[in-house]
Amino acid sequence: MQNKSLLIKNGSLVSSSGISKTDLFISNGTIAEIGLSLDVNADKIIDANNQYVFPGIIDPQVHFRDPGLTHKEDLHTGSMSAAAGGITT
């Protein structure tokens, strides 16, 4: 698997310090740099103008429908849906 880099530009980064308009550079799965108008080469660039950038979200209160109503959702589909929405734990 090839290591990829990602540059998220112009986003409103939400952190424990508040919300700030900034760029975020991720390399090898790790945040490598945060700052305004970053000038780096990235494999992929996302323009997050007018959008919020959050860290991974923790959902401490989840109820999958497994067992019981697996025709609606099971552990696999519920986990995949949560991950697609930014839930990491």
PDB file of all heavy atoms in Angstrom, residues 42-81:
ATOM      1  N   ALA A  42       0.718  17.551  -2.088  1.00  0.00           N
ATOM      2  CA  ALA A  42      -0.139  16.514  -1.526  1.00  0.00           C
ATOM      3  C   ALA A  42      -0.719  15.676  -2.648  1.00  0.00           C
ATOM      4  O   ALA A  42      -0.959  16.171  -3.752  1.00  0.00           O
ATOM      5  CB  ALA A  42      -1.264  17.144  -0.707  1.00  0.00           C
ATOM      6  N   ASP A  43      -0.948  14.396  -2.344  1.00  0.00           N
ATOM      7  CA  ASP A  43      -1.568  13.504  -3.325  1.00  0.00           C
ATOM      8  C   ASP A  43      -3.011  13.902  -3.604  1.00  0.00           C
ATOM      9  O   ASP A  43      -3.508  13.731  -4.708  1.00  0.00           O
ATOM     10  CB  ASP A  43      -1.534  12.061  -2.818  1.00  0.00           C
ATOM     11  CG  ASP A  43      -0.112  11.545  -2.688  1.00  0.00           C
ATOM     12  OD1 ASP A  43       0.667  11.698  -3.649  1.00  0.00           O
ATOM     13  OD2 ASP A  43       0.222  11.000  -1.626  1.00  0.00           O
ATOM     14  N   LYS A  44      -3.678  14.440  -2.592  1.00  0.00           N
ATOM     15  CA  LYS A  44      -5.077  14.853  -2.744  1.00  0.00           C
ATOM     16  C   LYS A  44      -5.281  16.165  -2.001  1.00  0.00           C
ATOM     17  O   LYS A  44      -4.748  16.363  -0.914  1.00  0.00           O
ATOM     18  CB  LYS A  44      -6.007  13.780  -2.180  1.00  0.00           C
ATOM     19  CG  LYS A  44      -7.471  14.079  -2.365  1.00  0.00           C
ATOM     20  CD  LYS A  44      -8.355  12.929  -1.919  1.00  0.00           C
ATOM     21  CE  LYS A  44      -9.816  13.224  -2.165  1.00  0.00           C
ATOM     22  NZ  LYS A  44     -10.674  12.115  -1.753  1.00  0.00           N
ATOM     23  N   ILE A  45      -6.056  17.064  -2.595  1.00  0.00           N
ATOM     24  CA  ILE A  45      -6.382  18.352  -1.981  1.00  0.00           C
ATOM     25  C   ILE A  45      -7.899  18.477  -1.907  1.00  0.00           C
ATOM     26  O   ILE A  45      -8.598  18.233  -2.886  1.00  0.00           O
ATOM     27  CB  ILE A  45      -5.796  19.526  -2.783  1.00  0.00           C
ATOM     28  CG1 ILE A  45      -4.265  19.418  -2.827  1.00  0.00           C
ATOM     29  CG2 ILE A  45      -6.238  20.856  -2.182  1.00  0.00           C
ATOM     30  CD1 ILE A  45      -3.602  20.432  -3.737  1.00  0.00           C
ATOM     31  N   ILE A  46      -8.381  18.848  -0.726  1.00  0.00           N
ATOM     32  CA  ILE A  46      -9.810  19.084  -0.524  1.00  0.00           C
ATOM     33  C   ILE A  46      -9.998  20.548  -0.147  1.00  0.00           C
ATOM     34  O   ILE A  46      -9.347  21.040   0.780  1.00  0.00           O
ATOM     35  CB  ILE A  46     -10.370  18.191   0.606  1.00  0.00           C
ATOM     36  CG1 ILE A  46     -10.267  16.718   0.217  1.00  0.00           C
ATOM     37  CG2 ILE A  46     -11.813  18.574   0.932  1.00  0.00           C
ATOM     38  CD1 ILE A  46     -10.658  15.760   1.330  1.00  0.00           C
ATOM     39  N   ASP A  47     -10.875  21.242  -0.856  1.00  0.00           N
ATOM     40  CA  ASP A  47     -11.222  22.617  -0.495  1.00  0.00           C
ATOM     41  C   ASP A  47     -12.405  22.551   0.459  1.00  0.00           C
ATOM     42  O   ASP A  47     -13.514  22.214   0.063  1.00  0.00           O
ATOM     43  CB  ASP A  47     -11.566  23.433  -1.734  1.00  0.00           C
ATOM     44  CG  ASP A  47     -11.842  24.896  -1.411  1.00  0.00           C
ATOM     45  OD1 ASP A  47     -11.711  25.298  -0.231  1.00  0.00           O
ATOM     46  OD2 ASP A  47     -12.185  25.643  -2.343  1.00  0.00           O
ATOM     47  N   ALA A  48     -12.161  22.864   1.723  1.00  0.00           N
ATOM     48  CA  ALA A  48     -13.190  22.781   2.755  1.00  0.00           C
ATOM     49  C   ALA A  48     -13.755  24.163   3.090  1.00  0.00           C
ATOM     50  O   ALA A  48     -14.226  24.397   4.207  1.00  0.00           O
ATOM     51  CB  ALA A  48     -12.617  22.114   4.007  1.00  0.00           C
ATOM     52  N   ASN A  49     -13.726  25.078   2.125  1.00  0.00           N
ATOM     53  CA  ASN A  49     -14.262  26.416   2.347  1.00  0.00           C
ATOM     54  C   ASN A  49     -15.727  26.339   2.782  1.00  0.00           C
ATOM     55  O   ASN A  49     -16.504  25.579   2.216  1.00  0.00           O
ATOM     56  CB  ASN A  49     -14.127  27.246   1.069  1.00  0.00           C
ATOM     57  CG  ASN A  49     -14.408  28.705   1.314  1.00  0.00           C
ATOM     58  OD1 ASN A  49     -14.036  29.248   2.345  1.00  0.00           O
ATOM     59  ND2 ASN A  49     -15.054  29.343   0.367  1.00  0.00           N
ATOM     60  N   ASN A  50     -16.082  27.096   3.793  1.00  0.00           N
ATOM     61  CA  ASN A  50     -17.437  27.119   4.370  1.00  0.00           C
ATOM     62  C   ASN A  50     -17.843  25.783   4.993  1.00  0.00           C
ATOM     63  O   ASN A  50     -19.030  25.486   5.103  1.00  0.00           O
ATOM     64  CB  ASN A  50     -18.479  27.542   3.326  1.00  0.00           C
ATOM     65  CG  ASN A  50     -18.279  28.977   2.875  1.00  0.00           C
ATOM     66  OD1 ASN A  50     -17.958  29.842   3.680  1.00  0.00           O
ATOM     67  ND2 ASN A  50     -18.441  29.220   1.601  1.00  0.00           N
ATOM     68  N   GLN A  51     -16.857  24.966   5.381  1.00  0.00           N
ATOM     69  CA  GLN A  51     -17.151  23.697   6.030  1.00  0.00           C
ATOM     70  C   GLN A  51     -16.295  23.560   7.291  1.00  0.00           C
ATOM     71  O   GLN A  51     -15.223  24.143   7.402  1.00  0.00           O
ATOM     72  CB  GLN A  51     -16.876  22.533   5.086  1.00  0.00           C
ATOM     73  CG  GLN A  51     -17.778  22.572   3.872  1.00  0.00           C
ATOM     74  CD  GLN A  51     -17.653  21.323   3.039  1.00  0.00           C
ATOM     75  OE1 GLN A  51     -17.447  20.239   3.557  1.00  0.00           O
ATOM     76  NE2 GLN A  51     -17.776  21.476   1.736  1.00  0.00           N
ATOM     77  N   TYR A  52     -16.804  22.775   8.233  1.00  0.00           N
ATOM     78  CA  TYR A  52     -16.086  22.521   9.477  1.00  0.00           C
ATOM     79  C   TYR A  52     -15.263  21.252   9.346  1.00  0.00           C
ATOM     80  O   TYR A  52     -15.677  20.287   8.707  1.00  0.00           O
ATOM     81  CB  TYR A  52     -17.061  22.374  10.644  1.00  0.00           C
ATOM     82  CG  TYR A  52     -17.747  23.665  11.008  1.00  0.00           C
ATOM     83  CD1 TYR A  52     -19.041  23.925  10.581  1.00  0.00           C
ATOM     84  CD2 TYR A  52     -17.095  24.627  11.771  1.00  0.00           C
ATOM     85  CE1 TYR A  52     -19.671  25.111  10.900  1.00  0.00           C
ATOM     86  CE2 TYR A  52     -17.715  25.820  12.098  1.00  0.00           C
ATOM     87  CZ  TYR A  52     -19.003  26.057  11.662  1.00  0.00           C
ATOM     88  OH  TYR A  52     -19.620  27.234  11.978  1.00  0.00           O
ATOM     89  N   VAL A  53     -14.095  21.259   9.965  1.00  0.00           N
ATOM     90  CA  VAL A  53     -13.213  20.092  10.009  1.00  0.00           C
ATOM     91  C   VAL A  53     -13.118  19.670  11.470  1.00  0.00           C
ATOM     92  O   VAL A  53     -12.654  20.432  12.307  1.00  0.00           O
ATOM     93  CB  VAL A  53     -11.817  20.421   9.438  1.00  0.00           C
ATOM     94  CG1 VAL A  53     -10.906  19.201   9.516  1.00  0.00           C
ATOM     95  CG2 VAL A  53     -11.918  20.941   8.009  1.00  0.00           C
ATOM     96  N   PHE A  54     -13.617  18.470  11.760  1.00  0.00           N
ATOM     97  CA  PHE A  54     -13.629  17.953  13.123  1.00  0.00           C
ATOM     98  C   PHE A  54     -12.612  16.827  13.279  1.00  0.00           C
ATOM     99  O   PHE A  54     -12.344  16.098  12.327  1.00  0.00           O
ATOM    100  CB  PHE A  54     -15.013  17.347  13.449  1.00  0.00           C
ATOM    101  CG  PHE A  54     -16.086  18.349  13.712  1.00  0.00           C
ATOM    102  CD1 PHE A  54     -16.822  18.881  12.671  1.00  0.00           C
ATOM    103  CD2 PHE A  54     -16.374  18.750  15.006  1.00  0.00           C
ATOM    104  CE1 PHE A  54     -17.828  19.798  12.903  1.00  0.00           C
ATOM    105  CE2 PHE A  54     -17.382  19.662  15.251  1.00  0.00           C
ATOM    106  CZ  PHE A  54     -18.111  20.193  14.202  1.00  0.00           C
ATOM    107  N   PRO A  55     -12.121  16.633  14.511  1.00  0.00           N
ATOM    108  CA  PRO A  55     -11.351  15.415  14.764  1.00  0.00           C
ATOM    109  C   PRO A  55     -12.315  14.231  14.750  1.00  0.00           C
ATOM    110  O   PRO A  55     -13.530  14.414  14.663  1.00  0.00           O
ATOM    111  CB  PRO A  55     -10.786  15.650  16.169  1.00  0.00           C
ATOM    112  CG  PRO A  55     -11.755  16.597  16.805  1.00  0.00           C
ATOM    113  CD  PRO A  55     -12.274  17.468  15.681  1.00  0.00           C
ATOM    114  N   GLY A  56     -11.800  13.015  14.816  1.00  0.00           N
ATOM    115  CA  GLY A  56     -12.684  11.849  14.876  1.00  0.00           C
ATOM    116  C   GLY A  56     -13.635  11.975  16.053  1.00  0.00           C
ATOM    117  O   GLY A  56     -13.249  12.388  17.143  1.00  0.00           O
ATOM    118  N   ILE A  57     -14.883  11.644  15.850  1.00  0.00           N
ATOM    119  CA  ILE A  57     -15.922  11.787  16.870  1.00  0.00           C
ATOM    120  C   ILE A  57     -16.131  10.452  17.591  1.00  0.00           C
ATOM    121  O   ILE A  57     -16.133   9.393  16.968  1.00  0.00           O
ATOM    122  CB  ILE A  57     -17.248  12.233  16.209  1.00  0.00           C
ATOM    123  CG1 ILE A  57     -17.039  13.511  15.379  1.00  0.00           C
ATOM    124  CG2 ILE A  57     -18.339  12.415  17.247  1.00  0.00           C
ATOM    125  CD1 ILE A  57     -16.630  14.726  16.157  1.00  0.00           C
ATOM    126  N   ILE A  58     -16.301  10.527  18.905  1.00  0.00           N
ATOM    127  CA  ILE A  58     -16.582   9.342  19.724  1.00  0.00           C
ATOM    128  C   ILE A  58     -18.077   9.309  20.024  1.00  0.00           C
ATOM    129  O   ILE A  58     -18.641  10.301  20.478  1.00  0.00           O
ATOM    130  CB  ILE A  58     -15.779   9.378  21.042  1.00  0.00           C
ATOM    131  CG1 ILE A  58     -14.289   9.329  20.735  1.00  0.00           C
ATOM    132  CG2 ILE A  58     -16.197   8.231  21.955  1.00  0.00           C
ATOM    133  CD1 ILE A  58     -13.411   9.564  21.943  1.00  0.00           C
ATOM    134  N   ASP A  59     -18.719   8.183  19.769  1.00  0.00           N
ATOM    135  CA  ASP A  59     -20.127   7.986  20.103  1.00  0.00           C
ATOM    136  C   ASP A  59     -20.190   7.032  21.298  1.00  0.00           C
ATOM    137  O   ASP A  59     -20.067   5.827  21.141  1.00  0.00           O
ATOM    138  CB  ASP A  59     -20.883   7.408  18.912  1.00  0.00           C
ATOM    139  CG  ASP A  59     -22.376   7.275  19.175  1.00  0.00           C
ATOM    140  OD1 ASP A  59     -22.807   7.467  20.330  1.00  0.00           O
ATOM    141  OD2 ASP A  59     -23.108   6.959  18.229  1.00  0.00           O
ATOM    142  N   PRO A  60     -20.375   7.576  22.508  1.00  0.00           N
ATOM    143  CA  PRO A  60     -20.346   6.724  23.704  1.00  0.00           C
ATOM    144  C   PRO A  60     -21.657   5.971  23.963  1.00  0.00           C
ATOM    145  O   PRO A  60     -21.728   5.169  24.885  1.00  0.00           O
ATOM    146  CB  PRO A  60     -20.072   7.724  24.824  1.00  0.00           C
ATOM    147  CG  PRO A  60     -20.743   8.967  24.354  1.00  0.00           C
ATOM    148  CD  PRO A  60     -20.544   8.977  22.852  1.00  0.00           C
ATOM    149  N   GLN A  61     -22.681   6.221  23.165  1.00  0.00           N
ATOM    150  CA  GLN A  61     -23.989   5.616  23.423  1.00  0.00           C
ATOM    151  C   GLN A  61     -24.576   5.091  22.127  1.00  0.00           C
ATOM    152  O   GLN A  61     -25.369   5.741  21.473  1.00  0.00           O
ATOM    153  CB  GLN A  61     -24.926   6.655  24.049  1.00  0.00           C
ATOM    154  CG  GLN A  61     -26.283   6.157  24.425  1.00  0.00           C
ATOM    155  CD  GLN A  61     -26.250   5.130  25.558  1.00  0.00           C
ATOM    156  OE1 GLN A  61     -25.368   5.140  26.375  1.00  0.00           O
ATOM    157  NE2 GLN A  61     -27.212   4.248  25.582  1.00  0.00           N
ATOM    158  N   VAL A  62     -24.158   3.894  21.727  1.00  0.00           N
ATOM    159  CA  VAL A  62     -24.637   3.350  20.464  1.00  0.00           C
ATOM    160  C   VAL A  62     -25.355   2.029  20.713  1.00  0.00           C
ATOM    161  O   VAL A  62     -24.983   1.273  21.601  1.00  0.00           O
ATOM    162  CB  VAL A  62     -23.462   3.180  19.472  1.00  0.00           C
ATOM    163  CG1 VAL A  62     -22.724   1.898  19.693  1.00  0.00           C
ATOM    164  CG2 VAL A  62     -23.918   3.275  18.049  1.00  0.00           C
ATOM    165  N   HIS A  63     -26.419   1.780  19.976  1.00  0.00           N
ATOM    166  CA  HIS A  63     -27.178   0.533  20.064  1.00  0.00           C
ATOM    167  C   HIS A  63     -27.373  -0.018  18.663  1.00  0.00           C
ATOM    168  O   HIS A  63     -28.154   0.506  17.887  1.00  0.00           O
ATOM    169  CB  HIS A  63     -28.556   0.774  20.708  1.00  0.00           C
ATOM    170  CG  HIS A  63     -28.483   1.259  22.101  1.00  0.00           C
ATOM    171  ND1 HIS A  63     -28.289   0.434  23.177  1.00  0.00           N
ATOM    172  CD2 HIS A  63     -28.540   2.517  22.612  1.00  0.00           C
ATOM    173  CE1 HIS A  63     -28.258   1.137  24.288  1.00  0.00           C
ATOM    174  NE2 HIS A  63     -28.404   2.415  23.971  1.00  0.00           N
ATOM    175  N   PHE A  64     -26.615  -1.067  18.343  1.00  0.00           N
ATOM    176  CA  PHE A  64     -26.825  -1.731  17.062  1.00  0.00           C
ATOM    177  C   PHE A  64     -28.043  -2.636  17.183  1.00  0.00           C
ATOM    178  O   PHE A  64     -28.429  -3.050  18.254  1.00  0.00           O
ATOM    179  CB  PHE A  64     -25.586  -2.550  16.675  1.00  0.00           C
ATOM    180  CG  PHE A  64     -24.391  -1.697  16.379  1.00  0.00           C
ATOM    181  CD1 PHE A  64     -23.269  -1.725  17.193  1.00  0.00           C
ATOM    182  CD2 PHE A  64     -24.383  -0.859  15.277  1.00  0.00           C
ATOM    183  CE1 PHE A  64     -22.175  -0.937  16.908  1.00  0.00           C
ATOM    184  CE2 PHE A  64     -23.288  -0.062  14.987  1.00  0.00           C
ATOM    185  CZ  PHE A  64     -22.181  -0.110  15.812  1.00  0.00           C
ATOM    186  N   ARG A  65     -28.637  -2.974  16.081  1.00  0.00           N
ATOM    187  CA  ARG A  65     -29.862  -3.794  16.071  1.00  0.00           C
ATOM    188  C   ARG A  65     -29.527  -5.278  15.912  1.00  0.00           C
ATOM    189  O   ARG A  65     -30.256  -6.025  15.293  1.00  0.00           O
ATOM    190  CB  ARG A  65     -30.771  -3.321  14.945  1.00  0.00           C
ATOM    191  CG  ARG A  65     -31.231  -1.893  15.157  1.00  0.00           C
ATOM    192  CD  ARG A  65     -31.932  -1.382  13.914  1.00  0.00           C
ATOM    193  NE  ARG A  65     -32.301  -0.009  14.107  1.00  0.00           N
ATOM    194  CZ  ARG A  65     -33.552   0.426  14.110  1.00  0.00           C
ATOM    195  NH1 ARG A  65     -34.553  -0.401  13.925  1.00  0.00           N
ATOM    196  NH2 ARG A  65     -33.804   1.696  14.281  1.00  0.00           N
ATOM    197  N   ASP A  66     -28.403  -5.655  16.508  1.00  0.00           N
ATOM    198  CA  ASP A  66     -27.922  -7.022  16.371  1.00  0.00           C
ATOM    199  C   ASP A  66     -27.719  -7.612  17.764  1.00  0.00           C
ATOM    200  O   ASP A  66     -26.951  -7.044  18.544  1.00  0.00           O
ATOM    201  CB  ASP A  66     -26.607  -6.995  15.601  1.00  0.00           C
ATOM    202  CG  ASP A  66     -26.161  -8.330  15.092  1.00  0.00           C
ATOM    203  OD1 ASP A  66     -26.842  -9.326  15.338  1.00  0.00           O
ATOM    204  OD2 ASP A  66     -25.105  -8.361  14.434  1.00  0.00           O
ATOM    205  N   PRO A  67     -28.388  -8.640  18.171  1.00  0.00           N
ATOM    206  CA  PRO A  67     -29.341  -9.448  17.426  1.00  0.00           C
ATOM    207  C   PRO A  67     -30.744  -8.844  17.493  1.00  0.00           C
ATOM    208  O   PRO A  67     -31.019  -7.990  18.322  1.00  0.00           O
ATOM    209  CB  PRO A  67     -29.305 -10.794  18.153  1.00  0.00           C
ATOM    210  CG  PRO A  67     -29.032 -10.436  19.571  1.00  0.00           C
ATOM    211  CD  PRO A  67     -28.133  -9.204  19.500  1.00  0.00           C
ATOM    212  N   GLY A  68     -31.593  -9.293  16.649  1.00  0.00           N
ATOM    213  CA  GLY A  68     -32.986  -8.871  16.719  1.00  0.00           C
ATOM    214  C   GLY A  68     -33.539  -8.317  15.440  1.00  0.00           C
ATOM    215  O   GLY A  68     -34.421  -8.893  14.834  1.00  0.00           O
ATOM    216  N   LEU A  69     -33.017  -7.179  15.014  1.00  0.00           N
ATOM    217  CA  LEU A  69     -33.551  -6.512  13.827  1.00  0.00           C
ATOM    218  C   LEU A  69     -32.472  -6.372  12.756  1.00  0.00           C
ATOM    219  O   LEU A  69     -32.301  -5.314  12.154  1.00  0.00           O
ATOM    220  CB  LEU A  69     -34.118  -5.143  14.207  1.00  0.00           C
ATOM    221  CG  LEU A  69     -35.285  -5.156  15.199  1.00  0.00           C
ATOM    222  CD1 LEU A  69     -35.634  -3.748  15.649  1.00  0.00           C
ATOM    223  CD2 LEU A  69     -36.497  -5.825  14.581  1.00  0.00           C
ATOM    224  N   THR A  70     -31.748  -7.447  12.518  1.00  0.00           N
ATOM    225  CA  THR A  70     -30.626  -7.373  11.582  1.00  0.00           C
ATOM    226  C   THR A  70     -31.048  -7.117  10.138  1.00  0.00           C
ATOM    227  O   THR A  70     -30.208  -6.757   9.310  1.00  0.00           O
ATOM    228  CB  THR A  70     -29.769  -8.653  11.643  1.00  0.00           C
ATOM    229  OG1 THR A  70     -30.612  -9.787  11.428  1.00  0.00           O
ATOM    230  CG2 THR A  70     -29.078  -8.781  12.979  1.00  0.00           C
ATOM    231  N   HIS A  71     -32.316  -7.244   9.838  1.00  0.00           N
ATOM    232  CA  HIS A  71     -32.765  -6.885   8.489  1.00  0.00           C
ATOM    233  C   HIS A  71     -32.686  -5.365   8.283  1.00  0.00           C
ATOM    234  O   HIS A  71     -32.661  -4.886   7.165  1.00  0.00           O
ATOM    235  CB  HIS A  71     -34.180  -7.410   8.227  1.00  0.00           C
ATOM    236  CG  HIS A  71     -35.237  -6.794   9.086  1.00  0.00           C
ATOM    237  ND1 HIS A  71     -35.429  -7.179  10.403  1.00  0.00           N
ATOM    238  CD2 HIS A  71     -36.133  -5.823   8.828  1.00  0.00           C
ATOM    239  CE1 HIS A  71     -36.422  -6.459  10.916  1.00  0.00           C
ATOM    240  NE2 HIS A  71     -36.865  -5.637   9.980  1.00  0.00           N
ATOM    241  N   LYS A  72     -32.645  -4.598   9.388  1.00  0.00           N
ATOM    242  CA  LYS A  72     -32.499  -3.146   9.310  1.00  0.00           C
ATOM    243  C   LYS A  72     -31.034  -2.726   9.416  1.00  0.00           C
ATOM    244  O   LYS A  72     -30.595  -1.798   8.751  1.00  0.00           O
ATOM    245  CB  LYS A  72     -33.281  -2.477  10.437  1.00  0.00           C
ATOM    246  CG  LYS A  72     -34.775  -2.595  10.317  1.00  0.00           C
ATOM    247  CD  LYS A  72     -35.443  -1.831  11.433  1.00  0.00           C
ATOM    248  CE  LYS A  72     -36.953  -1.897  11.317  1.00  0.00           C
ATOM    249  NZ  LYS A  72     -37.608  -1.099  12.363  1.00  0.00           N
ATOM    250  N   GLU A  73     -30.284  -3.404  10.315  1.00  0.00           N
ATOM    251  CA  GLU A  73     -28.892  -3.050  10.566  1.00  0.00           C
ATOM    252  C   GLU A  73     -28.257  -4.172  11.372  1.00  0.00           C
ATOM    253  O   GLU A  73     -28.908  -4.779  12.209  1.00  0.00           O
ATOM    254  CB  GLU A  73     -28.826  -1.739  11.363  1.00  0.00           C
ATOM    255  CG  GLU A  73     -27.449  -1.369  11.861  1.00  0.00           C
ATOM    256  CD  GLU A  73     -27.485  -0.169  12.780  1.00  0.00           C
ATOM    257  OE1 GLU A  73     -27.885  -0.329  13.950  1.00  0.00           O
ATOM    258  OE2 GLU A  73     -27.099   0.915  12.325  1.00  0.00           O
ATOM    259  N   ASP A  74     -26.983  -4.420  11.115  1.00  0.00           N
ATOM    260  CA  ASP A  74     -26.250  -5.356  11.955  1.00  0.00           C
ATOM    261  C   ASP A  74     -24.954  -4.679  12.383  1.00  0.00           C
ATOM    262  O   ASP A  74     -24.717  -3.508  12.066  1.00  0.00           O
ATOM    263  CB  ASP A  74     -26.016  -6.700  11.254  1.00  0.00           C
ATOM    264  CG  ASP A  74     -25.193  -6.590   9.980  1.00  0.00           C
ATOM    265  OD1 ASP A  74     -24.516  -5.564   9.768  1.00  0.00           O
ATOM    266  OD2 ASP A  74     -25.221  -7.546   9.187  1.00  0.00           O
ATOM    267  N   LEU A  75     -24.112  -5.390  13.105  1.00  0.00           N
ATOM    268  CA  LEU A  75     -22.878  -4.794  13.607  1.00  0.00           C
ATOM    269  C   LEU A  75     -22.008  -4.273  12.465  1.00  0.00           C
ATOM    270  O   LEU A  75     -21.456  -3.172  12.545  1.00  0.00           O
ATOM    271  CB  LEU A  75     -22.109  -5.818  14.454  1.00  0.00           C
ATOM    272  CG  LEU A  75     -20.829  -5.330  15.100  1.00  0.00           C
ATOM    273  CD1 LEU A  75     -21.094  -4.159  16.036  1.00  0.00           C
ATOM    274  CD2 LEU A  75     -20.156  -6.452  15.876  1.00  0.00           C
ATOM    275  N   HIS A  76     -21.923  -5.035  11.386  1.00  0.00           N
ATOM    276  CA  HIS A  76     -21.086  -4.619  10.249  1.00  0.00           C
ATOM    277  C   HIS A  76     -21.635  -3.358   9.573  1.00  0.00           C
ATOM    278  O   HIS A  76     -20.911  -2.377   9.395  1.00  0.00           O
ATOM    279  CB  HIS A  76     -20.966  -5.757   9.233  1.00  0.00           C
ATOM    280  CG  HIS A  76     -20.196  -5.362   8.012  1.00  0.00           C
ATOM    281  ND1 HIS A  76     -18.823  -5.244   8.012  1.00  0.00           N
ATOM    282  CD2 HIS A  76     -20.610  -5.045   6.761  1.00  0.00           C
ATOM    283  CE1 HIS A  76     -18.433  -4.862   6.803  1.00  0.00           C
ATOM    284  NE2 HIS A  76     -19.490  -4.740   6.034  1.00  0.00           N
ATOM    285  N   THR A  77     -22.910  -3.366   9.181  1.00  0.00           N
ATOM    286  CA  THR A  77     -23.456  -2.209   8.461  1.00  0.00           C
ATOM    287  C   THR A  77     -23.535  -0.972   9.357  1.00  0.00           C
ATOM    288  O   THR A  77     -23.306   0.141   8.898  1.00  0.00           O
ATOM    289  CB  THR A  77     -24.847  -2.515   7.872  1.00  0.00           C
ATOM    290  OG1 THR A  77     -25.748  -2.875   8.923  1.00  0.00           O
ATOM    291  CG2 THR A  77     -24.772  -3.638   6.844  1.00  0.00           C
ATOM    292  N   GLY A  78     -23.847  -1.165  10.640  1.00  0.00           N
ATOM    293  CA  GLY A  78     -23.893  -0.036  11.567  1.00  0.00           C
ATOM    294  C   GLY A  78     -22.523   0.585  11.782  1.00  0.00           C
ATOM    295  O   GLY A  78     -22.368   1.804  11.830  1.00  0.00           O
ATOM    296  N   SER A  79     -21.490  -0.254  11.894  1.00  0.00           N
ATOM    297  CA  SER A  79     -20.120   0.241  12.068  1.00  0.00           C
ATOM    298  C   SER A  79     -19.642   0.975  10.826  1.00  0.00           C
ATOM    299  O   SER A  79     -19.002   2.026  10.918  1.00  0.00           O
ATOM    300  CB  SER A  79     -19.173  -0.919  12.363  1.00  0.00           C
ATOM    301  OG  SER A  79     -19.488  -1.518  13.591  1.00  0.00           O
ATOM    302  N   MET A  80     -19.938   0.424   9.655  1.00  0.00           N
ATOM    303  CA  MET A  80     -19.535   1.072   8.407  1.00  0.00           C
ATOM    304  C   MET A  80     -20.229   2.428   8.235  1.00  0.00           C
ATOM    305  O   MET A  80     -19.620   3.396   7.790  1.00  0.00           O
ATOM    306  CB  MET A  80     -19.836   0.163   7.213  1.00  0.00           C
ATOM    307  CG  MET A  80     -19.057  -1.145   7.215  1.00  0.00           C
ATOM    308  SD  MET A  80     -17.270  -0.925   7.214  1.00  0.00           S
ATOM    309  CE  MET A  80     -17.031  -0.339   5.555  1.00  0.00           C
ATOM    310  N   SER A  81     -21.481   2.497   8.596  1.00  0.00           N
ATOM    311  CA  SER A  81     -22.228   3.749   8.507  1.00  0.00           C
ATOM    312  C   SER A  81     -21.640   4.799   9.459  1.00  0.00           C
ATOM    313  O   SER A  81     -21.469   5.954   9.088  1.00  0.00           O
ATOM    314  CB  SER A  81     -23.696   3.494   8.837  1.00  0.00           C
ATOM    315  OG  SER A  81     -24.424   4.688   8.831  1.00  0.00           O
TER     316      SER A  81
END
